[in-house]
Amino acid sequence: MLPPSRSAILLMSCPDQQGLVATLTNFVFHNKGNIIDLEQHVDVAEKLFFMRLEWDLRDFAIPEERLGERIAELAAQFDMQWALHFSDETPRMAVLVSKHSHCLLDVLARVQAGEWRVKLPLIVSNHSDLKPVAERLSIDYHYIPVTPNSKAAQEREVLALLGASNIEFVVLARYMQILSSDFIARYPHRIINIHHSFLPAFPGARPYHSAHERGVKIIGATSHYVTEDLDAGPIIEQDVVRVSHNDAVDDLVRKGRDLEKLVLGRAIWKYLQRKILVCRNRTVVFE
Amino acid sequence: MLPPSRSAILLMSCPDQQGLVATLTNFVFHNKGNIIDLEQHVDVAEKLFFMRLEWDLRDFAIPEERLGERIAELAAQFDMQWALHFSDETPRMAVLVSKHSHCLLDVLARVQAGEWRVKLPLIVSNHSDLKPVAERLSIDYHYIPVTPNSKAAQEREVLALLGASNIEFVVLARYMQILSSDFIARYPHRIINIHHSFLPAFPGARPYHSAHERGVKIIGATSHYVTEDLDAGPIIEQDVVRVSHNDAVDDLVRKGRDLEKLVLGRAIWKYLQRKILVCRNRTVVFE
Amino acid sequence: MLPPSRSAILLMSCPDQQGLVATLTNFVFHNKGNIIDLEQHVDVAEKLFFMRLEWDLRDFAIPEERLGERIAELAAQFDMQWALHFSDETPRMAVLVSKHSHCLLDVLARVQAGEWRVKLPLIVSNHSDLKPVAERLSIDYHYIPVTPNSKAAQEREVLALLGASNIEFVVLARYMQILSSDFIARYPHRIINIHHSFLPAFPGARPYHSAHERGVKIIGATSHYVTEDLDAGPIIEQDVVRVSHNDAVDDLVRKGRDLEKLVLGRAIWKYLQRKILVCRNRTVVFE
Amino acid sequence: MLPPSRSAILLMSCPDQQGLVATLTNFVFHNKGNIIDLEQHVDVAEKLFFMRLEWDLRDFAIPEERLGERIAELAAQFDMQWALHFSDETPRMAVLVSKHSHCLLDVLARVQAGEWRVKLPLIVSNHSDLKPVAERLSIDYHYIPVTPNSKAAQEREVLALLGASNIEFVVLARYMQILSSDFIARYPHRIINIHHSFLPAFPGARPYHSAHERGVKIIGATSHYVTEDLDAGPIIEQDVVRVSHNDAVDDLVRKGRDLEKLVLGRAIWKYLQRKILVCRNRTVVFE
């Protein structure tokens, strides 16, 4: 559902306690904001509260530049972690890719078609293969090869590019390099990977071969935030497709490609909608 | 998520307006209720607001017997339609069935296994075939045949049984008779049907034959509230399964049976959780 | 599974009768062909037999240029309809499109990535919007507007282009014009459409609006061969995605776009694999 | 598709070689059998051939009691492993169960409703809880408790019961004991288990807890043949259902129960249709 005009989006989590919803919705109401969307979740076992609150700013009494400090006051009261967004922001995204083109092409198609409110100023790859794809759309493509010796230098170079382009979040569209802890720490819960299996089954390399070897009847794809543990970060989205004895590894790869595009696309959509919160190693992904 | 103790559940809808969430959550908060679950929906096109609010009654300041009137005061203020439930209620359900046993057996298995908080004192059928099934579990089974001439009398008899057993809602577990408007009016949005197609495709009789004839690649089942228009009431739940040229009508029937059980079971679960609201001819089914 | 070398593919159907499989497999065996794949289907109700037989041509005794006449002899004996293909053919495809870009971009991405053995020499549109997309990839894009008066002339022009480019089959990638019977008759079972609903539900215009209005809990997309009856041709592939009260029409459109790409892509794949046979108004789509 | 009368079913596998299909279909054809169904699979990597051939016995020239030896002659020629079945056989099945009732109740409902051609003379459990369920249907229920010390004796007792009842195959309907190698060796590829996860993810105990802990967005159930390696036998069938952060462990258990019933039911159906072959640790499950 599209908001009728400009809106503010508050994403927050805190220890569960009485009066949270009442206090926050009163805050909006008394300042003449109209709530467009409210989604909340209580993790009973962890005693944690999560909320996404979106309200129309049309008649809102607090000027935008002072909104952050007012929320900070509430946050202090409830020991909240929070982030504030506005519906008309256009986040800046970078894509890291290796040789497989299908996820990159799908992301580019969505950007071209205007499906997402996002800017894509930058593609980085450890291979030159997909440079023409980027050039056709006049997007900067940086080919920075990686060798075991050059890895640290390559990461510094990529980080410099991301910084220079003011990138908010990074998409690994089948990027076949493992990022260092230092790199990941620079974009906490802001690096989205697509892994070509139904995690936690078949992490690491060659999951379609492993799935075929095991004889599973369903394969999957998983989009998750990158953390230090390989393919073990908080899962954002998964989907599956049925396979049979009839499908050789090549068929799993083919069917899997379509899944990867779909699942990565949905994860980026949820990110852009500011619908994702992280709790320990799990996500809360609102509707 | 199971509530830690007894809770109240308010289901409401009203014209959308500012301050709804703030007012209602304040009402709970100021009376020392702890909100366990809040789900809301705004139908932007219809300008309607829907909410399900559940709160722990442990320290709640308003005695249960006065809660209704307090909510009625709020309701008047906002032009609300509402219903109030308590988490420890055990609703009374009747099942109407004809000859096909699979949905009835599945409902009975769930009741036996204690999956649902529900009482099933009464099964009514226009055939005697499934009487032994009911008898084995010591559930009353009323065999009341229907002929074109006896239809009105049969419905009166069924309504009398439902009334005598203090039935809250009725499940049509493949009941192959069309209910009259009068009958339906006695249980508005409290008669749950399972139709063996992916509605609105293939309403009416013999949907598996029609699906086979059309050559669809997926078949479905639909659970909906019964209204005067055949197979056109508000949809509660649907699911599908893949079929192929290889599946004859008998195979569709076989695959469909499993779907019907699944979809009907989910619809009854949502009903019992007090998660369903109706708006015009659509449902809001909270998570 | 990829065949190890060049293979012949026989697609056939005929009245069911004893000895069909034995005769055809003997024919291959005695001529030193090695069967790679055999899929057969008997439509018991219609008393029809369908088969797809693929064999390795490495040591095959019959020269390719004489294979057709040898199969014609067998065909006469069994009253067969048949088509013969070779695994190294590269069929020529044209795409017709209007303004929506997602299906076209997805088809182009697959062509670029080499997912399919196909040539795409030609895109035709009744709008000029997507011309830049085609130009970037140096594919001919013919903008031929349609008005009620110019429709017959426009179709003649399109048919001339298809003929000049030696097009084998046509893909309607969200082409919002109804083709005339004459046009369709020129490409029988060789025009593949994607319709944005789960047919037979919601044929015709604005299916996402209708699905929203009806309050379905699942939406779908359908790829089918175009016949004279609008959205009623033989279904090749369908898939679905779950929706909820939370999804406005715009959300259905967004979720549906991904389905349309997926379903159209799979239908084209099956066509290119020579896996589809048509019987009355249904398809046999082999694995 | 139901065969019109009595039919023979040959399930076979052997090293892939030219002439297999031709020889076997000729054998049927020349003896006046009419092929009802032929499904074949070539595992290219393993160079193995698999086939299920079903033919009508109405005019078949070889008497049933001599059919086995005639097939044995063919089998010797091609180094085949094979099994011969007849469509009117009624296999004898035993169910082993612990305390969870849902899978047992679903199996019983299908048996009661006549969905399967099977006899169920025997239920064995290490708990007495479900005895009333069996008694209601007049099925023998043997309560044989297991302690670490009594395990070998208990298995001997169960094997004796299976033998005495002439049981062909065993279903573990949530049987929470690990069978010994000796037990398994007595019923090779004839013990069907249902595991409550999407294997190979979450083998062993408490998979729903592990799935919740990991934060997956989809859960599954897997039916497989039991082998010496726990939850690692050849997979027959899997299915999945979507979950969210909103689902506590209890919700996963609830959603999973429905999956388990569905997946186990489908696996037993395929077994009874004689559609399953095993190759190394994978299955070929024909349509």
Side-chain angles (χ1 to χ4, degrees):
Chain A
M1 181 186 352
L2 291 181
S5 72
R6 193 146 179 274
S7 59
I9 298 159
L10 176 65
L11 270 178
M12 55 79 62
S13 62
C14 66
D16 194 23
Q17 54 206 290
Q18 285 199 8
L20 281 165
V21 180
T23 306
L24 289 163
T25 57
N26 269 329
F27 168 75
V28 172
F29 178 49
H30 288 138
N31 288 296
K32 298 190 199 308
N34 190 27
I35 292 175
I36 294 165
D37 197 36
L38 181 161
E39 295 180 89
Q40 59 107 51
H41 171 62
V42 179
D43 188 319
V44 173
E46 307 281 332
K47 296 193 173 57
L48 290 171
F49 175 84
F50 303 84
M51 192 164 68
R52 182 186 187 279
L53 191 62
E54 180 168 0
W55 66 95
D56 193 322
L57 290 170
R58 206 169 341 202
D59 302 316
F60 198 56
I62 305 174
E64 182 187 325
E65 62 278 12
R66 305 219 35 223
L67 184 51
E69 75 195 54
R70 293 295 300 276
I71 288 170
E73 291 164 25
L74 290 168
Q77 187 180 339
F78 291 108
D79 195 15
M80 271 183 211
Q81 292 188 285
W82 60 280
L84 181 66
H85 298 282
F86 296 95
S87 62
D88 59 355
E89 290 165 2
T90 303
R92 296 172 68 82
M93 165 174 84
V95 174
L96 272 57
V97 67
S98 292
K99 290 183 155 200
H100 291 294
S101 63
H102 56 284
C103 284
L104 176 64
L105 287 170
D106 193 64
V107 165
L108 292 174
R110 292 170 194 273
V111 169
Q112 267 182 276
E115 285 187 31
W116 297 334
R117 180 182 276 272
V118 75
K119 280 272 178 210
L120 170 50
L122 186 63
I123 298 169
V124 179
S125 179
N126 55 331
H127 293 279
S128 59
D129 306 53
L130 298 173
K131 195 174 176 71
V133 167
E135 285 178 341
R136 249 174 246 136
L137 296 166
S138 307
I139 299 171
D140 280 357
Y141 184 97
H142 295 263
Y143 162 45
I144 313 176
V146 187
T147 62
N149 287 335
S150 73
K151 174 136 186 163
Q154 182 256 11
E155 284 202 349
R156 278 194 302 274
E157 196 174 344
V158 176
L159 283 170
L161 286 166
L162 300 179
S165 270
N166 199 19
I167 293 301
E168 179 190 308
F169 73 108
V170 177
V171 169
L172 308 187
R174 299 295 307 274
Y175 181 63
M176 310 309 265
Q177 295 290 320
I178 296 174
L179 298 175
S180 71
S181 306
D182 286 351
F183 192 108
I184 295 165
R186 294 281 291 274
Y187 290 89
H189 299 153
R190 287 191 285 135
I191 307 175
I192 299 173
N193 186 39
I194 179 71
H195 181 73
H196 41 316
S197 86
F198 185 74
L199 289 174
F202 313 125
R206 293 166 69 83
Y208 292 128
H209 288 77
S210 304
H212 187 260
E213 178 66 22
R214 179 63 188 92
V216 294
K217 298 303 183 188
I218 286 172
I219 58 168
T222 304
S223 193
H224 63 94
Y225 282 133
V226 174
T227 59
E228 288 197 33
D229 299 314
L230 183 65
D231 298 332
I235 294 171
I236 303 168
E237 169 69 353
Q238 303 188 287
D239 211 340
V240 298
V241 71
R242 198 162 271 275
V243 297
S244 79
H245 62 270
N246 220 28
D247 291 303
V249 172
D250 283 344
D251 296 302
L252 302 193
V253 170
R254 171 176 54 82
K255 290 184 170 183
R257 268 195 303 256
D258 282 0
L259 270 187
E260 296 164 35
K261 289 154 57 172
L262 202 65
V263 168
L264 179 60
R266 288 184 196 151
I268 295 173
W269 170 262
K270 287 291 186 185
Y271 179 92
L272 291 170
Q273 298 301 107
R274 314 302 190 181
K275 293 270 191 180
I276 312 173
L277 282 159
V278 176
C279 165
R280 293 173 54 234
N281 201 44
R282 291 198 294 255
T283 59
V284 170
V285 182
F286 288 120
E287 268 301 291
Chain B
M1 183 186 352
L2 292 181
S5 72
R6 194 146 178 274
S7 59
I9 299 159
L10 176 65
L11 271 178
M12 55 78 62
S13 62
C14 66
D16 193 24
Q17 53 206 290
Q18 285 200 9
L20 280 166
V21 181
T23 305
L24 288 163
T25 57
N26 270 329
F27 167 74
V28 172
F29 178 50
H30 288 139
N31 290 295
K32 300 190 197 307
N34 190 28
I35 292 174
I36 294 166
D37 196 38
L38 181 162
E39 295 180 89
Q40 61 107 51
H41 170 63
V42 178
D43 187 319
V44 173
E46 307 282 333
K47 295 193 175 57
L48 291 171
F49 175 83
F50 303 84
M51 192 164 68
R52 182 187 186 279
L53 190 62
E54 180 170 0
W55 65 95
D56 194 322
L57 290 171
R58 207 167 344 200
D59 303 315
F60 197 57
I62 305 174
E64 182 187 324
E65 62 277 12
R66 303 216 38 223
L67 185 50
E69 75 195 53
R70 293 293 302 277
I71 288 169
E73 290 164 27
L74 289 168
Q77 188 181 338
F78 290 109
D79 195 14
M80 270 184 211
Q81 292 186 287
W82 60 280
L84 181 67
H85 298 283
F86 296 95
S87 63
D88 58 356
E89 290 165 1
T90 303
R92 296 172 67 81
M93 164 174 85
V95 173
L96 271 57
V97 67
S98 292
K99 291 184 155 198
H100 291 293
S101 64
H102 56 285
C103 285
L104 175 64
L105 287 170
D106 193 63
V107 165
L108 292 174
R110 292 170 193 272
V111 169
Q112 268 181 275
E115 285 187 33
W116 297 333
R117 182 182 275 273
V118 76
K119 280 273 179 207
L120 171 50
L122 187 64
I123 299 169
V124 178
S125 179
N126 55 330
H127 294 278
S128 59
D129 307 51
L130 298 174
K131 195 175 177 70
V133 168
E135 284 177 342
R136 251 173 245 137
L137 296 167
S138 307
I139 299 172
D140 280 358
Y141 183 97
H142 295 264
Y143 162 45
I144 313 177
V146 186
T147 62
N149 288 335
S150 73
K151 173 135 188 166
Q154 182 256 9
E155 284 202 347
R156 278 194 302 274
E157 197 174 344
V158 176
L159 283 170
L161 286 167
L162 300 180
S165 270
N166 200 18
I167 293 301
E168 181 190 306
F169 73 107
V170 177
V171 169
L172 309 186
R174 298 296 306 274
Y175 181 64
M176 310 309 266
Q177 294 289 320
I178 296 174
L179 298 175
S180 71
S181 307
D182 286 350
F183 192 108
I184 296 165
R186 293 280 291 274
Y187 290 89
H189 300 154
R190 289 192 282 139
I191 306 174
I192 299 173
N193 186 41
I194 179 71
H195 182 73
H196 41 314
S197 85
F198 184 75
L199 290 173
F202 313 125
R206 295 166 69 83
Y208 293 127
H209 288 77
S210 304
H212 186 261
E213 177 67 22
R214 179 62 187 90
V216 293
K217 299 301 183 188
I218 286 173
I219 58 168
T222 303
S223 192
H224 63 94
Y225 283 134
V226 174
T227 59
E228 288 197 33
D229 299 315
L230 183 65
D231 299 330
I235 293 171
I236 302 169
E237 169 68 355
Q238 303 187 288
D239 211 340
V240 298
V241 70
R242 197 163 272 276
V243 297
S244 80
H245 62 271
N246 221 27
D247 291 303
V249 172
D250 283 343
D251 296 301
L252 302 194
V253 170
R254 172 176 53 82
K255 291 184 170 183
R257 268 195 305 255
D258 282 0
L259 269 187
E260 295 164 35
K261 289 155 56 174
L262 201 66
V263 168
L264 179 60
R266 288 185 195 149
I268 295 172
W269 170 261
K270 287 293 186 184
Y271 179 91
L272 292 171
Q273 298 302 105
R274 314 302 190 178
K275 293 271 190 178
I276 313 173
L277 281 159
V278 175
C279 165
R280 291 173 56 234
N281 201 46
R282 292 196 293 254
T283 58
V284 170
V285 182
F286 287 120
E287 268 302 292
Chain C
M1 184 185 349
L2 291 182
S5 73
R6 193 146 180 274
S7 59
I9 298 159
L10 176 66
L11 271 178
M12 55 78 61
S13 63
C14 66
D16 193 24
Q17 53 206 289
Q18 285 199 8
L20 280 165
V21 181
T23 304
L24 289 163
T25 56
N26 270 329
F27 168 76
V28 173
F29 178 49
H30 287 139
N31 290 295
K32 299 191 197 306
N34 190 28
I35 293 174
I36 293 166
D37 197 36
L38 182 163
E39 295 181 89
Q40 60 106 51
H41 171 61
V42 179
D43 188 319
V44 172
E46 307 282 332
K47 296 194 175 58
L48 291 172
F49 175 84
F50 302 83
M51 192 164 69
R52 182 187 186 279
L53 190 62
E54 180 169 0
W55 65 95
D56 194 322
L57 290 170
R58 208 168 340 200
D59 303 316
F60 197 57
I62 304 173
E64 184 188 321
E65 63 277 12
R66 303 218 36 223
L67 183 52
E69 76 196 52
R70 293 294 301 276
I71 288 169
E73 290 163 26
L74 289 167
Q77 187 182 339
F78 290 108
D79 195 14
M80 272 183 209
Q81 292 187 288
W82 60 280
L84 180 67
H85 298 284
F86 296 94
S87 62
D88 58 356
E89 291 166 1
T90 303
R92 296 172 69 81
M93 165 174 84
V95 174
L96 271 58
V97 67
S98 292
K99 291 184 156 199
H100 291 295
S101 64
H102 56 286
C103 285
L104 176 65
L105 286 170
D106 192 63
V107 164
L108 292 174
R110 292 170 193 272
V111 169
Q112 269 181 274
E115 285 188 31
W116 296 334
R117 180 182 275 273
V118 75
K119 281 273 178 208
L120 171 49
L122 186 64
I123 298 169
V124 179
S125 180
N126 55 329
H127 294 279
S128 59
D129 306 53
L130 298 174
K131 194 175 177 71
V133 168
E135 285 177 342
R136 252 174 243 135
L137 296 166
S138 307
I139 298 172
D140 280 358
Y141 183 98
H142 294 264
Y143 163 45
I144 313 177
V146 187
T147 63
N149 287 334
S150 73
K151 173 133 186 166
Q154 182 257 10
E155 284 203 349
R156 277 194 303 274
E157 197 174 343
V158 176
L159 283 170
L161 285 167
L162 300 180
S165 270
N166 199 18
I167 293 301
E168 180 190 306
F169 73 107
V170 176
V171 169
L172 309 187
R174 300 294 309 274
Y175 181 64
M176 310 309 264
Q177 294 289 321
I178 296 174
L179 298 174
S180 71
S181 306
D182 286 350
F183 192 108
I184 295 166
R186 293 280 292 274
Y187 290 89
H189 300 152
R190 288 191 284 137
I191 306 174
I192 298 173
N193 186 40
I194 180 72
H195 181 74
H196 41 315
S197 86
F198 184 76
L199 291 174
F202 312 125
R206 295 167 67 84
Y208 292 127
H209 289 77
S210 304
H212 186 261
E213 177 67 23
R214 179 62 187 92
V216 293
K217 298 301 182 188
I218 286 173
I219 57 167
T222 303
S223 192
H224 63 94
Y225 283 133
V226 174
T227 58
E228 288 197 32
D229 299 315
L230 183 65
D231 298 331
I235 294 171
I236 302 168
E237 169 68 353
Q238 302 187 290
D239 212 341
V240 298
V241 70
R242 198 162 272 275
V243 298
S244 80
H245 61 271
N246 221 27
D247 292 302
V249 172
D250 282 344
D251 296 301
L252 302 194
V253 170
R254 171 176 54 82
K255 291 184 170 183
R257 269 194 304 254
D258 282 0
L259 269 187
E260 296 164 33
K261 289 155 56 173
L262 202 65
V263 168
L264 179 60
R266 287 186 196 149
I268 295 172
W269 169 261
K270 287 292 187 183
Y271 179 91
L272 292 170
Q273 297 302 105
R274 313 302 191 179
K275 293 270 191 179
I276 313 173
L277 281 160
V278 176
C279 164
R280 291 172 56 232
N281 201 44
R282 293 198 293 254
T283 58
V284 170
V285 181
F286 287 121
E287 269 300 293
Chain D
M1 184 186 352
L2 291 182
S5 73
R6 194 147 178 273
S7 59
I9 299 160
L10 176 65
L11 272 179
M12 55 78 61
S13 63
C14 65
D16 194 23
Q17 53 206 290
Q18 285 200 6
L20 281 165
V21 180
T23 305
L24 288 163
T25 55
N26 270 329
F27 168 76
V28 172
F29 178 48
H30 287 139
N31 289 295
K32 300 189 195 312
N34 190 28
I35 292 174
I36 294 165
D37 197 36
L38 181 161
E39 294 180 88
Q40 60 106 50
H41 171 61
V42 179
D43 187 319
V44 172
E46 307 282 333
K47 296 192 175 59
L48 290 172
F49 175 84
F50 303 84
M51 190 164 68
R52 183 187 187 279
L53 190 61
E54 180 170 359
W55 66 96
D56 193 322
L57 289 170
R58 208 169 340 201
D59 302 316
F60 197 56
I62 304 174
E64 184 187 321
E65 63 277 13
R66 302 218 37 221
L67 184 51
E69 75 195 54
R70 292 295 300 278
I71 288 168
E73 290 164 25
L74 290 167
Q77 189 181 337
F78 290 109
D79 195 15
M80 272 182 210
Q81 293 187 287
W82 60 281
L84 181 66
H85 297 284
F86 296 95
S87 62
D88 58 356
E89 290 166 2
T90 303
R92 294 172 69 80
M93 165 174 85
V95 173
L96 272 56
V97 67
S98 293
K99 290 183 156 200
H100 291 294
S101 64
H102 56 285
C103 285
L104 176 64
L105 287 170
D106 193 63
V107 165
L108 292 174
R110 291 170 193 274
V111 169
Q112 268 180 276
E115 284 187 32
W116 296 335
R117 180 182 276 272
V118 75
K119 280 273 178 209
L120 171 50
L122 187 64
I123 298 170
V124 179
S125 179
N126 55 331
H127 294 280
S128 60
D129 306 52
L130 299 174
K131 194 175 176 70
V133 167
E135 284 178 340
R136 251 174 245 135
L137 296 167
S138 306
I139 298 172
D140 280 357
Y141 183 96
H142 295 263
Y143 162 45
I144 313 176
V146 187
T147 64
N149 288 335
S150 74
K151 173 135 186 166
Q154 182 256 9
E155 283 202 348
R156 277 193 303 274
E157 198 174 344
V158 176
L159 283 170
L161 285 166
L162 300 180
S165 270
N166 200 19
I167 293 301
E168 180 190 306
F169 74 107
V170 177
V171 169
L172 309 186
R174 298 296 308 273
Y175 181 63
M176 309 308 265
Q177 295 289 320
I178 296 174
L179 298 174
S180 70
S181 305
D182 286 349
F183 192 107
I184 295 165
R186 293 280 291 274
Y187 290 89
H189 299 152
R190 288 190 284 137
I191 305 174
I192 299 173
N193 186 40
I194 178 72
H195 182 74
H196 41 315
S197 85
F198 184 75
L199 291 173
F202 313 125
R206 294 167 68 84
Y208 293 127
H209 289 78
S210 304
H212 187 260
E213 178 66 23
R214 179 62 188 93
V216 293
K217 299 301 184 190
I218 286 172
I219 57 167
T222 304
S223 192
H224 62 93
Y225 282 133
V226 174
T227 58
E228 288 196 33
D229 299 315
L230 184 65
D231 298 331
I235 293 170
I236 302 168
E237 170 66 355
Q238 302 187 288
D239 212 341
V240 298
V241 70
R242 196 162 274 274
V243 297
S244 81
H245 62 270
N246 220 28
D247 291 303
V249 172
D250 283 343
D251 296 302
L252 302 194
V253 170
R254 172 176 54 81
K255 291 184 170 183
R257 268 195 304 256
D258 282 1
L259 269 187
E260 296 164 35
K261 289 155 57 173
L262 202 65
V263 168
L264 180 60
R266 287 185 196 149
I268 296 173
W269 169 262
K270 287 292 187 184
Y271 179 90
L272 291 171
Q273 298 302 105
R274 314 302 192 180
K275 292 272 192 178
I276 313 173
L277 281 159
V278 175
C279 165
R280 292 172 55 232
N281 201 44
R282 292 198 293 255
T283 58
V284 170
V285 181
F286 288 120
E287 268 301 291

